[in-house]
Amino acid sequence: MAREEVEESIRAMAADGLRTLMIAGRRLDGSLPTDSDELRAATANLTVYAVVGIVDPPRAEAAEAIATARAAGIAVHMITGDHLVTASSIAAQLGIPGEAAAGTELDDLDDNELNRRATGFGVLARVAPEHKIRVVKALQQDGNIVAMTGDGVNDAPALKQADIGIAMGITGSDVSKGAAKMILTDDNFATIISAIQEGRGIYANIIKFVKFQLTTAWGFVLIFLTAGVFGLAGGAPFTALQILWVNIIMDGPPALALGVDPAEPDIMKQKPRPADEPLLTRGRLLRILGLGLVMAAGTITVLALAPALFPESSNDPLLGTTLAFTTFVFFQVFNLLNVRSESGSVFSLQTFTNRSIWVALLAVVILQILVVNLDMLQGFFDTTALSSAQWGLALLTGSSVLWVEEIRKAIVRSRRR
């Protein structure tokens, strides 16, 4: 009966998330035996003095970080040497779902069965180093990218096997740090989630930069190809200096400002991208081609119709090219706003979160006004002054790329809902 009472006490404390430590002993007559068999016999039939429950609560921010990870499509598994009941209780407090199993139960599963069930385990307790490696391999076999955290020598093999081994910087052993690809300096799981969010934001900004630059380049190709085929502006709608102006001054600062764009509010609600996903997916490539086509069509239309639309200025040979040049710059201004979100509307507070972009866009517009209207720059850039109506046409035509993309984004949001 006494044994059953002790075991029940252990289970009750473990169910409350306490780590249990039993204190037991016996009085020896004479000196401590040195022979192994005698020592083993001396440590048998001990009297239980007490069972101690030790509180090792998870960090306050851990549950929130795990919830954020789950919303981001990241599954969190607890692999520990603690008692199964204790580990299950802590997992419940942290919001880690899934089956709970002990290391001895994994021994009864062959590799195929473990591969099939690995993603369903939320808690694995009383595990040995070989169990950790098997679980990591099973998760990888299922196509997952596995990040493994650990601090002890027995964690080193699994840290080495994982795609990203993360050792604890404070409590971690030198062996675990040597086996890991990353060291967590504050031993805080929430820091890992923050790093994932930062990484997603950086990757999103790379995509924005690439889309912005390629759309401009594709628009240029279509404009010159169309002008050459139809003989518009002698096949060269922009001068070499105007092309350099667009690529260096008009493209440069705004594109660099995209590099410091803050992450979208829902970035941690998006599912992880496939590991083999290219930078330019089919959807992104189609958008680049489509928006480049809109930019080219608008610019060519303005170039071709400028004399008819403004007969009072039809004698000015630079009117069409200047108007087309200015229109293309406005296309870039509005397209910069487009690329900041895959599906979010420009007409939201998120649009105003990056001061650098607005400074860059304001500088672009001011410089374009100076290049077109300042006498000393007109001869340099082969431009002519534009009337307010002509500026309005360039602005209105340039904004068309924004409206086309807003319609697409609205359709995407509607489908998601």
Side-chain angles (χ1 to χ4, degrees):
M1 179 61 70
R3 182 184 183 91
E4 294 176 358
E5 290 177 354
V6 170
E7 291 178 348
E8 180 59 33
S9 297
I10 292 173
R11 284 192 291 268
M13 285 188 283
D16 290 334
L18 302 178
R19 288 176 173 168
T20 55
L21 176 67
M22 178 183 288
I23 302 174
R26 63 176 293 182
R27 185 176 297 277
L28 296 176
D29 297 327
S31 60
L32 185 68
T34 56
D35 180 79
S36 59
D37 292 334
E38 293 179 356
L39 186 61
R40 189 177 298 108
T43 56
N45 300 318
L46 302 178
T47 299
V48 175
Y49 297 141
V51 177
V52 181
I54 303 172
V55 179
D56 185 13
R59 292 176 184 257
E61 65 273 21
E64 182 180 351
I66 290 173
T68 302
R70 291 184 61 197
I74 303 167
V76 179
H77 305 265
M78 179 189 291
I79 304 177
T80 177
D82 286 343
H83 191 281
L84 180 59
V85 178
T86 302
S88 299
S89 176
I90 295 174
Q93 296 174 34
L94 294 175
I96 299 177
E99 297 180 60
T104 52
E105 296 177 55
L106 297 184
D107 292 332
D108 297 332
L109 303 178
D110 60 25
D111 289 342
N112 291 332
E113 181 69 10
L114 182 59
N115 292 348
R116 187 181 65 82
R117 296 180 56 186
T119 55
F121 288 120
V123 177
L124 294 171
R126 292 285 193 246
V127 292
E130 58 269 23
H131 296 138
K132 297 178 182 180
I133 282 197
R134 286 191 67 201
V135 171
V136 170
K137 289 181 176 179
L139 291 170
Q140 290 172 327
Q141 284 292 323
D142 199 39
N144 296 290
I145 302 298
V146 179
M148 172 77 183
T149 62
D151 56 6
V153 174
N154 61 344
D155 293 318
L159 291 173
K160 194 72 173 178
Q161 174 64 37
D163 298 284
I164 305 172
I166 305 172
M168 301 297 106
I170 299 174
T171 60
S173 64
D174 290 338
V175 175
S176 65
K177 292 177 183 178
K181 292 183 175 68
M182 184 183 301
I183 297 176
L184 192 61
T185 57
D186 61 359
D187 289 11
N188 191 344
F189 177 79
T191 303
I192 299 175
I193 305 305
S194 298
I196 292 172
Q197 181 173 355
E198 187 69 20
R200 287 188 173 191
I202 292 172
Y203 184 80
N205 287 348
I206 293 173
I207 292 174
K208 295 172 190 178
F209 179 89
V210 171
K211 288 196 300 183
F212 179 69
Q213 294 286 5
L214 290 184
T215 303
T216 298
W218 174 238
F220 258 137
V221 169
L222 291 177
I223 289 170
F224 275 87
L225 184 62
T226 305
V229 170
F230 294 98
L232 298 173
F238 302 148
T239 65
L241 199 56
Q242 288 173 348
I243 295 173
L244 287 175
W245 180 257
V246 169
N247 283 324
I248 297 175
I249 305 300
M250 301 292 106
D251 258 5
L256 292 176
L258 287 172
V260 294
D261 213 19
E264 293 185 69
D266 67 341
I267 197 164
M268 290 302 285
K269 294 180 181 178
Q270 301 170 11
K271 299 304 178 186
R273 60 183 175 84
D276 58 351
E277 180 183 275
L279 193 65
L280 291 178
T281 61
R282 181 175 178 272
R284 290 173 191 151
L285 187 58
L286 288 176
R287 287 196 290 278
I288 289 171
L289 297 177
L291 293 178
L293 184 61
V294 171
M295 294 168 68
T299 303
I300 289 295
T301 300
V302 167
L303 177 65
L305 299 182
L309 293 173
F310 303 101
E312 70 280 4
S313 305
S314 59
N315 293 329
D316 188 343
L318 297 177
L319 172 64
T321 55
T322 302
L323 194 54
F325 173 44
T326 304
T327 299
F328 192 76
V329 168
F330 278 123
F331 269 126
Q332 289 178 287
V333 168
F334 287 107
N335 193 47
L336 185 74
L337 301 177
N338 279 340
V339 300
R340 292 186 64 195
S341 176
E342 293 276 349
S343 59
S345 173
V346 169
F347 304 102
S348 66
L349 293 178
Q350 180 67 15
T351 302
F352 301 98
T353 56
N354 188 343
R355 181 182 176 185
S356 299
I357 280 182
W358 290 102
V359 171
L361 290 181
L362 180 62
V364 163
V365 173
I366 292 174
L367 288 172
Q368 186 64 21
I369 292 173
L370 294 178
V371 164
V372 171
N373 288 346
L374 204 62
D375 290 340
M376 62 179 295
L377 294 177
Q378 286 177 345
F380 197 59
F381 285 94
D382 290 324
T383 59
T384 187
L386 299 177
S387 65
S388 57
Q390 291 162 351
W391 277 104
L393 176 63
L395 181 64
L396 183 63
T397 305
S399 70
S400 63
V401 74
L402 176 69
W403 303 116
V404 168
E405 185 67 353
E406 280 296 301
I407 292 172
R408 183 198 67 81
K409 290 178 180 179
I411 294 173
V412 170
R413 292 194 299 270
S414 176
R415 287 178 176 174
R416 288 179 179 175
R417 286 195 294 268

